[in-house]
Amino acid sequence: MLNLNMPINEVINEYPITRDFLEKNEIFCVDCSVGTCLLKDLFEIHNFSSGDQIAMFENLNDLVTQKTKEIKVFTPLTKKDKYSAIVEMLIEEHRKITELVYIAEYIIRQPNFLIKYAQEVEKLLYFFKYYADDFHHGKEEDMLFYLFEKNDILKAMYQEHEQSREYRSKLVSSSDVKEISQLITEYCLMLKDHIYKEDNILFPYLDRNLTTEMLVEIDRKMQDLDLSINDDVINFIEDFNNKEFSF
């Protein structure tokens, strides 16, 4: 029998039918690199109604105890078209990080990329550190995530931020072309997956739970932000695209 406080990775490992249940309900946490989220948080964060959350738990529990073989499919509530200013800002920063990812993936496909694109690779590593990690991930942690620290669902995002920093650290210390290419490939895949989960699952959930007091606190912290690196990233992306793809 299931327990709502069980980590989802334990549920999946102990009861393989959980994989089919999650996939049919388009809850794509089966291949999560962390898997620390608790079962009790799973349905809420994916924006199912309170009634459906109860019904989903009951159906999953009946599946693992073999009381039924029927996997029911539930529909999440409609997401908002417009989010709070902080969430909209973070989503926009994700777009810029994704552009950096596409540039990195393009570069490593080119012959002798460490020679031909030496300056660009150095610049990318700089932006991955100071824009993606220090500026963006730091902003998420210091301005938004800490307001919800009691929620276990955020542990996965904190750990993926650390994974991002570990990848970047390995890249800086490596001089082997094949290793650098492999590290960039893995790093970019991780970033794209991380951004998808935040934009489509985590941010809508956090935005639904932001109170007026929280927004006032965030606004106070936003006053001290240095946004100059944001312009540097935009200029780098535009200059690279103009140089490589203008005909």
Side-chain angles (χ1 to χ4, degrees):
M1 190 169 181
L2 295 180
N3 183 318
L4 284 171
N5 290 313
M6 295 175 67
I8 187 59
N9 57 351
E10 290 184 12
V11 178
I12 292 171
N13 291 335
E14 188 169 351
Y15 306 107
I17 189 64
T18 305
R19 289 176 172 268
D20 297 330
F21 175 83
L22 295 175
E23 288 175 359
K24 283 199 173 183
N25 281 283
E26 298 187 358
I27 300 174
F28 302 113
C29 62
V30 173
D31 298 319
C32 178
S33 59
V34 181
T36 58
C37 305
L38 301 184
L39 186 58
K40 68 179 181 181
D41 298 319
L42 189 65
F43 305 136
E44 180 186 2
I45 198 170
H46 283 81
N47 202 23
F48 291 96
S49 69
S50 56
D52 277 352
Q53 290 177 44
I54 295 171
M56 293 174 82
F57 177 74
E58 290 175 346
N59 182 221
L60 182 56
N61 194 59
D62 287 344
L63 287 166
V64 302
T65 56
Q66 300 183 341
K67 290 182 180 179
T68 185
K69 292 184 178 180
E70 178 190 4
I71 297 178
K72 296 180 180 179
V73 178
F74 300 84
T75 302
L77 299 172
T78 303
K79 291 190 291 187
K80 294 191 297 185
D81 293 327
K82 183 72 174 177
Y83 298 114
S84 61
I86 179 62
V87 170
E88 290 285 352
M89 179 191 300
L90 294 173
I91 290 174
E92 180 58 33
E93 288 168 10
H94 277 170
R95 294 191 183 102
K96 296 182 181 69
I97 294 170
T98 301
E99 287 280 351
L100 295 175
V101 164
Y102 289 153
I103 290 173
E105 291 177 324
Y106 169 82
I107 285 175
I108 63 173
R109 291 195 298 268
Q110 311 309 310
N112 301 315
F113 72 88
L114 273 185
I115 298 174
K116 182 178 179 181
Y117 295 97
Q119 292 182 341
E120 287 80 2
V121 170
E122 182 178 354
K123 201 72 172 177
L124 281 167
L125 292 178
Y126 174 86
F127 285 135
F128 282 137
K129 170 176 170 50
Y130 291 105
Y131 186 74
D133 285 336
D134 294 349
F135 180 72
H136 175 75
H137 289 162
K139 185 190 297 182
E140 289 178 334
E141 294 168 3
D142 296 339
M143 296 177 58
L144 185 60
F145 290 2
Y146 85 98
L147 296 168
F148 299 87
E149 278 187 352
K150 292 183 179 179
N151 193 313
D152 289 316
I153 204 77
L154 287 171
K155 291 180 181 177
M157 296 301 103
Y158 276 112
Q159 289 187 43
E160 288 187 358
H161 285 183
E162 287 306 311
Q163 288 177 355
S164 173
R165 293 165 183 137
E166 289 171 8
Y167 268 117
R168 184 185 48 74
S169 178
K170 290 178 181 177
L171 279 166
V172 170
S173 62
S174 177
S175 59
D176 180 78
V177 175
K178 288 185 178 179
E179 182 181 33
I180 291 173
S181 179
Q182 182 63 29
L183 284 170
I184 290 177
T185 299
E186 294 174 2
Y187 184 35
C188 289
L189 285 173
M190 190 276 291
L191 282 175
K192 287 189 288 187
D193 179 65
H194 178 76
I195 287 171
Y196 176 86
K197 284 185 284 191
E198 288 192 336
D199 282 357
N200 294 280
I201 301 169
L202 181 66
F203 285 170
Y205 166 74
L206 295 182
D207 197 78
R208 292 194 302 273
N209 290 278
L210 282 171
T211 65
T212 301
E213 292 76 12
M214 289 177 175
L215 290 171
V216 170
E217 173 69 10
I218 292 170
D219 185 65
R220 182 186 64 79
K221 291 193 172 186
M222 285 176 63
Q223 306 304 318
D224 300 326
L225 287 178
D226 178 8
L227 298 177
S228 61
I229 193 169
N230 200 48
D231 294 333
D232 292 341
V233 168
I234 294 172
N235 292 335
F236 171 77
I237 293 170
E238 290 180 350
D239 289 346
F240 185 88
N241 287 338
N242 288 335
K243 182 178 72 174
E244 291 293 318
F245 306 117
S246 295
F247 299 99

